[in-house]
Amino acid sequence: MKKVLFVLTSHGEKGNAGSTGYHLGEVSHPWKVLHDAGVEMDLVSPKGGEPPVDGFDLEDPANKEFWNHPVYQKKRIHTKTPKEIQISDYSAIYFAGGHGTMWDFPENKELQNLTRSIYESGGIVGAVCHGPSALVNVTLSNGKNLIAGKRVNGFSNEEEEIVKLEGVVPFLLENKLIAAGGKYSKSAPWSSHVEVDERLVTGQNPQSAKAVGEAILSLLKK
């Protein structure tokens, strides 16, 4: 089995509303599922190096295990840049959420190219919470949006309003996913909700992260 590429945001500022980064649980919970199944993962971020972290809670066992794992600690501190990625090494690409993604994922051409290449080579594309912001501008070689006509999920407008950041983020993710042609669906705020459409796996919020990992693993085993 080839590796899975985890993508973490490099953006640490939530507009004028404080610090942010990748959400630790949205990395650790899928990581735990895949790691326990013997899958190897690499970590990449737009700028490389050590990305900023949000949702830092080492009372969460998966967070603690990931944070202190000697191999992945090194990978976390020294994330690769997109230019360093050899696409043929990977069976899947997974975009972890965290509000930072809303600023540096959507317009990143290198991440778009990685996503397109992995998907068109038969690989899996996964994302959770704000991670699907990476998918809103990804087009395939035929010019169509990757998510057009596919069932898709991501942080809902209601959830953004609950955390009072609807006026801070550059756009509302639910709206943008729909505008890109995605068949968006959602559950009640903070409920686990995962959509799987062929090789596209998307989850709504932090509570969905483990289930996204499980869905990716299920596809990897096919």
Side-chain angles (χ1 to χ4, degrees), residues 26 94 126-130 132 150-156 158-159 174 177 183-197 200-215:
E26 294 171 25
Y94 165 71
V128 77
C129 199
H130 289 92
K150 295 186 178 71
R151 296 190 309 279
V152 69
N153 195 214
F155 206 60
S156 69
E158 289 91 337
E159 287 166 323
E174 175 181 331
L177 291 168
K183 295 180 177 178
Y184 182 87
S185 63
K186 59 188 172 185
S187 293
W190 321 125
S191 301
S192 178
H193 184 141
V194 175
E195 290 290 339
V196 180
D197 195 323
L200 177 67
V201 180
T202 47
Q204 184 170 325
N205 45 35
Q207 291 75 13
S208 310
K210 180 181 179 182
V212 168
E214 290 168 342

Side-chain angles (χ1 to χ4, degrees), residues 93-112:
I93 186 168
Y94 165 71
F95 293 92
H99 273 91
T101 64
M102 297 286 281
W103 279 268
D104 67 349
F105 278 7
E107 305 297 334
N108 190 297
K109 298 294 185 185
E110 293 177 321
L111 293 179
Q112 291 172 27

Side-chain angles (χ1 to χ4, degrees), residues 10-200:
S10 294
H11 188 87
E13 295 300 321
K14 199 159 40 185
N16 58 359
S19 62
T20 186
Y22 68 90
H23 193 282
L24 182 55
E26 294 171 25
V27 175
S28 70
H29 285 265
W31 170 85
K32 173 73 171 167
V33 170
L34 296 169
H35 182 258
D36 287 355
V39 179
E40 186 180 351
M41 290 150 277
D42 285 335
L43 307 182
V44 66
S45 63
K47 295 181 179 178
E50 185 171 10
V53 61
D54 204 354
F56 189 76
D57 174 18
L58 295 189
E59 296 297 314
D60 179 315
N63 284 356
K64 185 176 181 180
E65 182 180 351
F66 170 76
W67 193 257
N68 294 320
H69 191 287
V71 172
Y72 285 92
Q73 185 178 63
K74 185 175 180 180
K75 291 187 178 189
R76 170 176 57 77
I77 294 171
H78 304 284
T79 63
K80 298 172 181 281
T81 64
K83 285 187 173 68
E84 295 177 88
I85 298 304
Q86 182 67 42
I87 291 164
S88 59
D89 291 343
Y90 301 95
S91 294
I93 186 168
Y94 165 71
F95 293 92
H99 273 91
T101 64
M102 297 286 281
W103 279 268
D104 67 349
F105 278 7
E107 305 297 334
N108 190 297
K109 298 294 185 185
E110 293 177 321
L111 293 179
Q112 291 172 27
N113 292 339
L114 284 177
T115 305
R116 179 188 309 110
S117 296
I118 289 173
Y119 188 78
E120 291 189 335
S121 64
I124 300 154
V125 172
V128 77
C129 199
H130 289 92
S133 63
L135 309 180
V136 297
N137 293 317
V138 176
T139 56
L140 301 176
S141 296
N142 61 12
K144 293 183 179 179
N145 291 340
L146 184 150
I147 65 171
K150 295 186 178 71
R151 296 190 309 279
V152 69
N153 195 214
F155 206 60
S156 69
N157 289 353
E158 289 91 337
E159 287 166 323
E160 205 69 82
E161 290 163 5
I162 289 168
V163 298
K164 301 186 185 307
L165 291 172
E166 73 275 13
V168 175
V169 289
F171 55 87
L172 291 174
L173 181 56
E174 175 181 331
N175 294 355
K176 190 74 83 169
L177 291 168
I178 293 169
K183 295 180 177 178
Y184 182 87
S185 63
K186 59 188 172 185
S187 293
W190 321 125
S191 301
S192 178
H193 184 141
V194 175
E195 290 290 339
V196 180
D197 195 323
E198 297 179 346
R199 291 176 288 109
L200 177 67

